[in-house]
Amino acid sequence: MISKKVENEETPTQFHETFPFGLSWTEKKGKQKLEYKAYFPYDDYRDKYAKRLKTLKLTNIKKFKTKPR
């Protein structure tokens, strides 16, 4: 197998710059509590998804902003 290293002078896009808004929630399945996280590029996308989760009666919905890693 031949591998060739390619040097790219562009700086890579940071995750927290691309998806600055996050949403987490929990869901009960039997005795288990499952935690989920979703990341969004815009605040209004996150708000619409949070409203959708509330209609599904999921609990512990929290909005947050991503931090630099």
Side-chain angles (χ1 to χ4, degrees):
M1 175 187 265
I2 300 172
S3 63
K4 182 179 178 183
K5 186 177 181 180
V6 178
E7 292 185 24
N8 190 356
E9 294 182 14
E10 294 180 25
T11 57
T13 305
Q14 300 294 329
F15 181 79
H16 69 278
E17 292 175 356
T18 306
F19 299 102
F21 302 102
L23 188 66
S24 67
W25 68 94
T26 57
E27 179 182 0
K28 286 186 179 179
K29 285 203 172 188
K31 293 182 180 180
Q32 295 180 341
K33 283 188 179 180
L34 303 174
E35 290 188 23
Y36 297 99
K37 290 185 180 178
Y39 300 95
F40 302 94
Y42 303 107
D43 191 27
D44 59 339
Y45 289 2
R46 176 178 68 176
D47 292 339
K48 288 178 185 177
Y49 200 74
K51 286 180 185 177
R52 186 173 163 196
L53 292 175
K54 285 180 185 177
T55 60
L56 296 174
K57 298 184 180 179
L58 298 177
T59 59
N60 205 15
I61 299 171
K62 296 180 183 177
K63 297 178 183 179
F64 62 92
K65 288 193 174 188
T66 57
K67 298 177 184 176
R69 298 173 191 227

